[in-house]
Amino acid sequence: MRGEGRWMRMGSLGVLGVILAGAAGGSLWAAEHRPPNVIVVSVDNLGYGDIGPFGSELHRTPNLDRMAAEGMRLTHFYVTSGVCTPSRASLMTGCYPRRVSLHEDHEGGRVLRPVSATGLHPDEVTMAEVLQSAGYATGIFGKWHLGDQSEFLPTRQGFDTFFGIPYSDDMVHTHPRGEELGWPPLPLLRDEAVIEAPVDRNTLVRRCTEEAIAFIEAHRDRPFFVYMPHTMPGSTAAPFASEAFRGRSANGPYGDAVEELDWSLGRVIEALGRLGLDGQTLVIWTSDNGAPRRDPPQGSNAPMAGWGYSTAEGGMRVPCLARWPGVIPAGSTCDELASTLDLLPTVAALAGVEPPRDRHLDGFDIRPLLFGTEGARSPTVAFYYYDGPQLQAVRSGPWKLYLAIDEWVRRPHPAIEPGRPALFDVAVDPGETADRASDHPQVVRMLTALADAARKDLGDLDRPGANQRPAGHVAFPRPLVAEADGVIERSGFEE
């Protein structure tokens, strides 16, 4: 596998890895040494206040309610961007989007679009590759959005199988500029072959759920990693849902989609119980960014300030649940800062492998937080809020500082004034209503110094970071369409 030798086995699992390497398909696991299965569900554009465990009284989410009762709510959990591609890049790599240069596309757009020349660099090490190195079966079921050229597809980034769409569901040929930009009908892929185009978006959550469960059943006898980046509620004004859920909710198509996402989780948890895998499986459920403003508003980021697609709390602080019966304390809450950056180092530790040591990572092993270890504190000293190429804010402890910026790429929300810093205690004021900058000048200075360090390390606007790595690039990108032999072949990868 590409990237072998970048990490090392740890402890007694090193001997086990040698034994397993000789087993057919790595499927003979000693039960007492078997590392946990990992399931990560990341839905699309869902707000902090959109599910029952985080305060929604509008959407019926009994399965998510049950997951919270049997596991942990993480109330200060962040993604690294208010939009899709950069957020997903961090989840996969444990790195800020600017570190892997996926904070924008090759034309300065906020996310990758169909036929983009850029994508996640093949030399980056993903969570799937880390777990694959530990003998895991790996599958992705949903929306990728880290590059639609063959060099960037999930099957080239550590996943054994892919069932889903390569980018956002609204990036279709019928978009007002779709034909002009050369966008094809929305393709559904199995591995690297287009099997339908256009795919019926109403069926994607149901079909991806069924595929994920079939994958779990097929790999029940070995550790597996299932990544479910669901396509809904999605980017369109009227989200999609299967026939069984359309018109059922009290919140129109958006609520229908949320309630189908809850159903999906319930099916997965049910399958784990039926297969006797409940106590062997860590499940993480979250969103890729907050709910964007729609007309009329349908999603809720309450009680956070602002909307998705921004660096306001409502754009980047998302609901997160973690469940692992017998390991994660039932009915618990973690109020410490954590983020998707932490998932790769955490699951690597659970699998008994080192994360990549030949490059800068930005996340931390948060097992003590998940396990409810007494006195556990967040290992994150500073968390950075980027809007595309621009560093806009930094958080340390309870304090979030919006930097004194004269010209914003996009203002986070109307309460932030250009040219002056704004400081909020987001532990008690997630709505960002009381600016405390004048009361705490020493905190402003401390957070400003942390921001200066980020500018040197990660970059800011046109200033490159000292430890920033390139995105992948191809010379002649082509639309992702069905081909006669069912295999996608394109131009070679450009260094």
Side-chain angles (χ1 to χ4, degrees), residues 295-369:
D295 187 21
Q298 294 173 305
S300 171
N301 297 314
M304 306 299 153
W307 294 93
Y309 308 166
S310 78
T311 56
E313 287 296 280
M316 293 175 58
R317 192 158 148 189
V318 293
C320 183
L321 299 170
R323 177 185 185 269
W324 184 358
V327 179
I328 293 177
S332 58
T333 297
C334 175
D335 297 325
E336 293 291 314
L337 193 158
S339 76
T340 49
L341 295 168
D342 302 323
L343 295 184
L344 185 151
T346 300
V347 301
L350 291 171
V353 292
E354 290 274 7
R357 297 299 188 193
D358 62 345
R359 65 199 62 212
H360 287 265
L361 297 185
D362 297 302
F364 300 93
D365 178 1
I366 58 168
R367 285 177 298 168
L369 299 183

Side-chain angles (χ1 to χ4, degrees), residues 12-13 16 29-35 280:
S12 62
L13 284 171
L16 179 62
W29 288 86
E32 64 271 22
H33 291 297
R34 174 171 166 166
Q280 299 176 359

Side-chain angles (χ1 to χ4, degrees), residues 139-486:
I140 170 175
F141 308 93
K143 168 183 160 182
W144 175 236
H145 214 172
L146 294 177
D148 71 333
Q149 302 303 290
S150 59
E151 294 84 351
F152 309 135
L153 292 177
T155 46
R156 310 291 180 96
Q157 302 279 5
F159 286 99
D160 299 327
T161 191
F162 170 39
F163 180 88
I165 60 176
Y167 35 71
S168 290
D169 73 291
D170 62 334
M171 296 179 175
V172 294
H173 63 299
T174 54
H175 184 278
R177 294 191 62 210
E179 185 173 349
E180 170 195 344
L181 295 170
W183 292 358
L186 184 66
L188 176 68
L189 276 73
R190 184 178 297 280
D191 300 331
E192 298 185 13
V194 176
I195 59 174
E196 289 179 30
V199 62
D200 181 355
R201 289 179 277 178
N202 286 302
T203 67
L204 281 171
V205 169
R206 174 181 58 79
R207 292 176 70 182
C208 287
T209 302
E210 292 168 350
E211 291 280 338
I213 292 172
F215 182 86
I216 291 169
E217 291 172 340
H219 297 93
R220 70 183 77 178
D221 295 327
R222 63 182 289 195
F224 57 77
F225 170 46
V226 169
Y227 176 40
M228 299 180 70
H230 275 306
T231 55
M232 295 297 135
S235 305
T236 53
F240 295 86
S242 64
E243 185 176 355
F245 289 87
R246 286 199 295 276
R248 282 183 45 183
S249 80
N251 192 26
Y254 187 92
D256 298 346
V258 173
E259 294 188 5
E260 184 165 27
L261 292 169
D262 178 81
W263 164 86
S264 169
L265 173 74
R267 286 290 311 278
V268 171
I269 297 293
E270 177 188 45
L272 294 176
R274 172 169 49 83
L275 298 171
L277 299 174
D278 242 2
Q280 299 176 359
T281 306
L282 168 65
V283 181
I284 303 286
W285 195 98
T286 189
S287 176
D288 71 339
N289 52 253
R293 183 187 294 275
R294 302 174 190 255
D295 187 21
Q298 294 173 305
S300 171
N301 297 314
M304 306 299 153
W307 294 93
Y309 308 166
S310 78
T311 56
E313 287 296 280
M316 293 175 58
R317 192 158 148 189
V318 293
C320 183
L321 299 170
R323 177 185 185 269
W324 184 358
V327 179
I328 293 177
S332 58
T333 297
C334 175
D335 297 325
E336 293 291 314
L337 193 158
S339 76
T340 49
L341 295 168
D342 302 323
L343 295 184
L344 185 151
T346 300
V347 301
L350 291 171
V353 292
E354 290 274 7
R357 297 299 188 193
D358 62 345
R359 65 199 62 212
H360 287 265
L361 297 185
D362 297 302
F364 300 93
D365 178 1
I366 58 168
R367 285 177 298 168
L369 299 183
L370 292 176
F371 297 168
T373 304
E374 185 175 356
R377 294 290 179 264
S378 173
T380 300
V381 174
F383 179 80
Y384 299 109
Y385 302 72
Y386 275 88
D387 186 350
Q390 185 178 56
L391 178 62
Q392 294 193 343
V394 57
R395 177 176 171 179
S396 186
W399 296 108
K400 177 180 180 180
L401 176 71
Y402 286 97
L403 303 167
I405 297 172
D406 291 328
E407 187 174 349
W408 296 89
V409 172
R410 277 163 292 273
R411 286 177 65 186
H413 56 83
I416 306 302
E417 298 178 14
R420 61 178 296 273
L423 180 70
F424 300 96
D425 181 348
V426 291
V428 298
D429 181 23
E432 299 177 285
T433 60
D435 182 358
R436 308 292 300 279
S438 60
D439 301 332
H440 298 279
Q442 77 283 5
V443 176
V444 173
R445 288 193 296 270
M446 179 190 75
L447 292 178
T448 300
L450 291 172
D452 288 340
R455 291 187 177 107
K456 294 176 183 177
D457 179 28
L458 296 164
D460 189 17
L461 292 176
D462 294 332
R463 172 181 175 177
N467 295 302
Q468 188 175 354
R469 304 191 291 269
H473 188 271
V474 295
F476 304 106
R478 293 171 54 195
L480 191 57
V481 296
E483 300 195 5
D485 59 1

Side-chain angles (χ1 to χ4, degrees), residues 9 12-35 131-137 221-223 351-353:
R9 303 288 298 175
S12 62
L13 284 171
V15 177
L16 179 62
V18 173
I19 296 171
L20 294 173
S27 61
L28 300 178
W29 288 86
E32 64 271 22
H33 291 297
R34 174 171 166 166
L131 292 175
Q132 198 177 58
S133 78
Y136 279 63
D221 295 327
R222 63 182 289 195
V353 292

